[in-house]
């Protein structure tokens, strides 16, 4: 087992105007489960492939333990990788697939058999060892790919969206299986996904990426509670955090007429262009005051409901899309015992929930 | 049910009929090869006496043995040369998007569009001027060139269908780049390689026009089989018995190879199961 360190690691594809991964600094602890998450095309796979040695590092360094592997070929890095497409050798049986790396490493036949059998038992593959990958279901193939990685007993596991080819139910099941397996093995793991729920549920820490840059690296709850910038605030959490333009007047931060319950001595230091971030659960339905929400859609999830609607802030700014001037989308969580229907008007106010402030220009979090 | 059954029977009957039309010349070849000289021109399908003398005398002093060996060397050499060039070319064009890639593949294809006959004179002059050691070597080069386009294209298609991730997985599993190519990708491309191999071999084996032109100066025993068989057709008389017996002998490797190709390609495709 080992740590993994990216030092200003950069990858520029030949002919591309900008780097796909821009000078990333990241340290992954020994035994840590690190999730790389971000929207499509942000450079997650490229980062992982740089670590695996499948992608050239244009500048900077990558270390596994204290060994500089920047220019080492994949086979000298002592890593294992689970590919999105699983990349099982189609002409080999499950057993041969799992055994292959050990065979190359000239591990004895008995030892190979022992390790493959152990991994197969762990993954519930014992009955399929003689089959070809073609004759397996998607979930089984996924487990073979995991097994192929496990038998190596590598220093680092690399996984690139290993669950994206599974159906929703299998995904949830396998998610916990992988997390448990990783905890049992205690192997340093770098896991790539574009699904923030996966990231939040599996990772010890999560690295959020956008446009080739790291946005924030933190434990899941920390990301949720204290997003470092507007991108992370909008990316983490489902439904999304509401991000609304605010003004600072009369000693308080206001959304239109509504003054947020913020008692901060440093209000004077706030910049003029302010964005307020409020999660749907930060709101309560109140008898008077607050914001007036015109409910457009109600999403019932059982224990809670999410009321999607619009509010008019009258702030003189144009809303997105077809919304009129000063009109914004807002999502609010309401307990399901509270009857809400499409077309209702609700008064909602922030009561005790977290209020996040961001500088609209720089996008950075403001701590008051 | 009834109608579909009738349909099946009709289809099968039709297929057999077509097959017979195509097989008849071969039957004729076999039968004529076994006729004695006296019965040669009889208008019957089954000769009264069947003789193997045409076959046995094929191997006599200046018989076809040497010619078969020449043809084997030409076809085998051309196949080897074509594959040695086509495997790397097919692999590289499948794996890399480089400037001029499409143009390269189209130029390769264009070489296939020339009638060999149109190039005969040019080829003849070229090889005379280059002073190549023998007709065999010249024919190996020409036949390899003729079949390169097909080989590159089919191998390009096969390599393209093998996911790069397999090679990457193999590298992570401990192989070098070349190792991954040789031990994972090539076996998976085997059906394509075998197809290119057999196609090239058969085309080179059957090639006549260039063989005739380039081996004009060679002694009869050093000419390819197709040219040698043609030699039984004289200006004043034709040795039908030997002509057909030689034709039959020349067909055998082709048939064996086709039997192989079918097996190899079918098992290769199912085992390869490239996703
Ligand atoms: N071989 C390549 N050549 C040129 N550009 C590439 C290549 N591979 C990826 N890119 C570019 O690099 C950027 C990052 O790609 P990458 O595959 O790392 O994204 P990703 O975060 O994994 O996205 P996804 O979630 O869609 O898999 C993208 O803009 C992509 O277009
Ligand atoms: Mg990706």
């Amino acid at each position: 087992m080992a740590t993994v360190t990216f030092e200003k690691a950069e990858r520029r594809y030949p002919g591309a105007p900008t780097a796909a991964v821009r000078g990333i600094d990241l340290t992954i602890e020994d035994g840590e489960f690190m999730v790389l998450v971000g929207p499509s095309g942000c450079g997650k796979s490229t980062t992982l492939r740089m670590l695996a040695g499948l992608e050239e590092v244009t500048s900077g360094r990558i270390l596994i333990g204290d060994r500089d592997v920047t220019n080492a070929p994949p086979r000298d890095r002592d890593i294992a990788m689970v590919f999105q497409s699983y990349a099982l050798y189609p002409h080999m049986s499950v057993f041969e697939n799992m055994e292959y790396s050990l065979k190359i490493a000239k591990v004895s036949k008995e030892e190979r058999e022992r390790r493959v059998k152990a991994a197969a038992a762990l993954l519930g593959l014992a009955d399929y060892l003689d089959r070809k990958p073609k004759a397996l279901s998607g979930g089984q193939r996924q487990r073979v790919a995991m097994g192929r990685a496990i038998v190596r007993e590598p220093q680092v596991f690399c996984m690139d969206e290993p669950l994206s080819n599974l159906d929703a139910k299998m995904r949830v099941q396998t998610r916990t299986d992988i997390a448990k397996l990783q905890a049992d093995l205690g192997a340093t793991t770098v896991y790539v996904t574009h699904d923030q729920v996966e990231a939040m549920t599996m990772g010890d820490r999560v690295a959020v990426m956008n446009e080739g840059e790291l946005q924030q690296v933190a434990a899941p709850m920390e990301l949720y509670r204290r997003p470092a910038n507007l991108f992370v605030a909008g990316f983490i959490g489902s439904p999304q955090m509401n991000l609304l333009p605010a003004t600072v007047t009369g000693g308080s931060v206001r959304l239109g007429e509504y003054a947020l319950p913020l008692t901060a001595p440093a209000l004077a230091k706030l910049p003029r262009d302010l964005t307020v971030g409020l999660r749907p659960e930060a709101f309560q339905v109140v008898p008077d005051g607050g914001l007036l929400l015109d409910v457009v859609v109600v999403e019932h999830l059982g224990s809670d409901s999410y009321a999607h609607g619009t509010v008019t802030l009258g702030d003189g700014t144009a809303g997105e899309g077809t919304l009129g001037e000063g009109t914004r989308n807002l999502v609010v969580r309401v307990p399901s015992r509270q009857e809400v229907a499409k077309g209702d008007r609700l008064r909602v106010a922030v009561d005790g929930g977290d209020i996040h402030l961001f500088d609209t220009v720089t996008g950075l979090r403001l701590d008051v | 049910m009834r109608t579909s059954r009738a349909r099946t029977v009709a289809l099968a009957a039709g297929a057999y009929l077509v097959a017979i039309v195509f097989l008849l010349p071969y039957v004729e070849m076999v039968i004529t090869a076994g006729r004695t000289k006296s019965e040669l021109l009889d208008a019957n399908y089954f000769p009264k006496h069947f003789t193997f003398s045409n076959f046995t005398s094929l191997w006599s002093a200046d018989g076809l043995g040497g010619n078969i060996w020449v043809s084997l060397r030409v076809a085998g050499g051309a196949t080897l040369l074509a594959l040695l060039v086509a495997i790397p070319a097919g692999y590289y064009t499948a794996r890399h998007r480089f400037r001029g890639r499409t143009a390269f593949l189209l130029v390769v294809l264009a070489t296939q569009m020339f009638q060999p006959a149109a190039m005969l004179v040019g080829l003849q002059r070229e090889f005379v001027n280059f002073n190549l050691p023998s007709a065999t070597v010249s024919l190996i080069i020409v036949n390899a060139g003729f079949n390169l386009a097909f080989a590159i294209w089919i191998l390009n298609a096969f390599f393209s269908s093998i996911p790069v991730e397999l090679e990457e997985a193999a590298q992570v599993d401990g192989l070098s780049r070349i190792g991954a190519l040789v031990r994972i990708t090539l076996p998976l491309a085997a059906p394509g390689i075998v197809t290119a191999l057999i196609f090239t071999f058969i085309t080179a084996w059957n090639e006549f026009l260039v063989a005739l032109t380039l081996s004009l100066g060679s002694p009869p025993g050093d000419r390819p089989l197709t040219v040698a068989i043609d030699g039984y057709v004289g200006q004043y008389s034709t040795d039908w018995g030997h002509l057909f017996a030689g034709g039959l002998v020349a067909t055998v490797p082709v048939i064996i190879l086709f039997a192989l190709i079918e097996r190899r390609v079918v098992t290769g495709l199912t085992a390869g199961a490239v996703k």
Side-chain angles (χ1 to χ4, degrees):
Chain A
M1 304 301 132
T3 60
V4 170
T5 313
F6 290 82
E7 281 179 9
K8 303 240 175 315
E10 179 146 320
R11 169 65 176 153
R12 183 185 293 270
Y13 284 105
T18 55
V21 173
R22 294 177 206 160
I24 278 187
D25 279 308
L26 178 63
T27 304
I28 301 162
E29 300 302 330
D30 189 7
E32 188 174 31
F33 196 118
M34 173 66 81
V35 178
L36 293 181
V37 71
S40 187
C42 71
K44 313 177 290 287
S45 297
T46 306
T47 308
L48 189 72
R49 291 165 54 83
M50 284 159 76
L51 171 61
L54 298 170
E55 208 75 68
E56 213 176 288
V57 180
T58 315
S59 64
R61 299 204 304 163
I62 294 176
L63 292 92
I64 296 177
D66 24 274
R67 209 158 60 89
D68 186 340
V69 296
T70 313
N71 296 310
R75 62 183 164 144
D76 294 338
R77 297 190 180 206
D78 200 6
I79 46 149
M81 181 140 172
V82 178
F83 292 82
Q84 184 171 4
S85 61
Y86 311 142
L88 302 178
Y89 309 123
H91 53 314
M92 299 183 193
S93 68
V94 168
F95 185 91
E96 288 164 337
N97 262 284
M98 287 167 66
E99 169 201 46
Y100 196 58
S101 63
L102 301 177
K103 223 169 163 178
I104 295 169
K106 302 213 164 65
V107 173
S108 76
K109 195 156 187 292
E110 298 76 50
E111 174 69 5
R112 293 203 304 256
E113 195 149 327
R114 190 188 65 72
R115 285 213 226 166
V116 171
K117 291 258 163 74
L122 193 64
L123 294 162
L125 287 169
D127 296 340
Y128 306 105
L129 286 175
D130 294 330
R131 292 216 199 153
K132 291 271 167 63
K134 193 175 42 137
L136 297 177
S137 73
Q140 290 161 346
R141 286 182 206 179
Q142 199 280 333
R143 278 181 278 153
V144 177
M146 289 294 298
R148 189 168 67 174
I150 291 175
V151 296
R152 301 269 314 270
E153 299 174 8
Q155 300 225 19
V156 183
F157 282 111
C158 301
M159 305 190 195
D160 192 351
E161 312 214 16
L163 305 185
S164 62
N165 286 329
L166 302 182
D167 65 47
K169 204 168 157 207
M170 275 295 291
R171 201 146 53 207
V172 173
Q173 168 68 38
T174 315
R175 204 159 77 194
T176 44
D177 287 351
I178 292 183
K180 216 161 75 212
L181 195 64
Q182 193 274 341
D184 289 348
L185 298 173
T188 311
T189 303
V190 188
Y191 184 103
V192 163
T193 178
H194 62 267
D195 179 353
Q196 52 111 356
V197 178
E198 237 171 68
M200 299 293 278
T201 50
M202 298 176 82
D204 292 328
R205 278 195 302 158
V206 177
V208 184
M209 286 186 76
N210 190 34
E211 296 185 349
E213 280 168 5
L214 278 183
Q215 302 293 317
Q216 186 174 6
V217 184
M221 280 328 284
E222 171 79 4
L223 282 183
Y224 193 80
R225 294 207 185 105
R226 293 175 50 81
N229 57 35
L230 279 172
F231 179 81
V232 178
F235 190 79
I236 299 290
S238 173
Q240 268 195 15
M241 183 188 280
N242 298 291
L243 295 169
L244 303 165
T247 50
V248 187
T249 42
S252 58
V253 178
R254 286 172 188 272
L255 296 171
E257 292 301 300
Y258 171 55
L260 288 168
L262 265 182
T263 49
L267 281 189
K269 281 197 212 145
L270 290 178
R272 254 179 47 86
D273 287 323
L274 206 61
T275 298
V276 169
L278 296 166
R279 296 215 181 264
E281 64 265 30
F283 291 96
Q284 302 282 329
V285 179
V286 292
D288 47 24
L291 292 163
L292 200 55
L293 175 72
D294 289 308
V295 179
V296 180
V297 177
V298 181
E299 236 184 324
H300 296 289
L301 297 182
S303 58
D304 298 304
S305 304
Y306 287 99
H308 297 250
T310 56
V311 287
T312 303
L313 300 180
D315 55 1
T317 58
E320 306 136 43
T322 55
L323 300 178
E325 190 169 284
T327 304
R328 296 280 165 170
N329 286 320
L330 191 71
V331 183
V332 170
R333 186 177 75 179
V334 288
S336 58
R337 63 188 140 76
Q338 195 145 19
E339 296 285 332
V340 184
K342 187 172 146 184
D344 284 358
R345 292 198 122 182
L346 292 180
R347 287 201 165 275
V348 293
V350 179
D351 185 11
D354 285 336
I355 299 173
H356 309 272
L357 296 181
F358 302 95
D359 184 330
T360 310
V361 179
T362 63
L364 293 180
R365 177 186 189 83
L366 300 166
D367 279 307
V368 286
Chain B
M1 280 323 276
R2 235 161 208 194
T3 55
S4 83
R5 191 181 170 121
R7 221 176 108 92
T8 316
V9 172
L11 264 176
Y16 280 117
L17 202 68
V18 172
I20 287 172
V21 168
F22 281 103
L23 280 174
L24 265 182
Y26 292 95
V27 175
E28 176 93 34
M29 178 171 76
V30 174
I31 292 173
T32 311
R35 280 177 198 266
T36 55
K37 270 220 168 72
S38 55
E39 276 187 64
L40 198 61
L41 298 175
D42 287 3
N44 59 358
Y45 256 104
F46 296 98
K48 290 193 204 72
H49 310 284
F50 202 82
T51 174
F52 285 100
S53 66
N54 285 326
F55 292 97
T56 47
S57 59
L58 275 182
W59 313 102
S60 65
D62 54 345
L64 288 183
N67 305 111
I68 290 176
W69 178 230
V70 173
S71 273
L72 269 179
R73 280 191 343 233
V74 167
T79 307
L80 195 69
L81 186 59
L83 285 182
L84 279 180
V85 177
I87 289 176
Y91 179 78
Y92 195 86
T93 48
R95 283 286 185 263
H96 298 269
R97 316 275 117 180
F98 55 92
R99 197 184 289 263
R101 174 175 167 276
T102 316
F104 171 77
L105 285 171
L106 284 178
V107 166
V108 165
L109 192 62
T111 63
Q112 198 72 341
M113 295 170 186
F114 293 105
Q115 258 296 328
M119 296 190 290
L120 267 185
V121 176
L123 283 173
Q124 159 75 14
R125 289 192 62 92
E126 189 172 63
F127 283 108
V128 168
N129 289 345
F130 281 176
N131 223 348
L132 279 181
S134 72
T136 312
V137 175
S138 315
L139 283 173
I140 285 176
I141 296 172
V142 173
N143 277 302
F146 279 165
N147 291 293
L148 210 48
F150 175 79
I152 290 178
W153 273 77
I154 195 160
L155 287 170
N156 171 279
F158 263 87
F159 285 128
S160 300
S161 73
I162 300 172
V164 199
E165 282 97 349
L166 288 184
E167 261 168 67
E168 292 177 344
Q171 285 179 54
V172 171
D173 269 351
L175 292 179
S176 64
R177 276 186 87 137
I178 304 289
L181 168 62
V182 171
R183 288 172 64 177
I184 298 294
T185 311
L186 281 189
L188 287 174
I193 296 172
V194 172
T195 307
L197 182 149
I198 293 181
F199 183 88
T200 310
F201 188 91
I202 290 175
T203 323
W205 178 266
N206 287 338
E207 205 282 325
F208 171 66
L209 210 51
V210 182
L212 180 68
T213 313
L214 292 185
S215 66
L216 268 182
S218 313
D222 289 351
R223 294 178 188 168
L225 190 57
T226 46
V227 180
I229 291 173
D230 182 57
Y232 290 121
V233 181
Q235 197 168 1
Y236 303 107
S237 71
T238 298
D239 186 350
W240 290 109
H242 280 129
L243 182 65
F244 281 93
L248 195 62
V249 168
T251 321
V252 170
V254 179
I255 290 174
I256 292 175
L257 279 176
F258 262 114
L260 277 180
I261 199 179
E262 202 211 20
R263 273 240 203 93
R264 274 305 301 231
V265 170
V266 171
T267 55
L269 282 181
T270 46
V274 171
K275 198 181 132 190

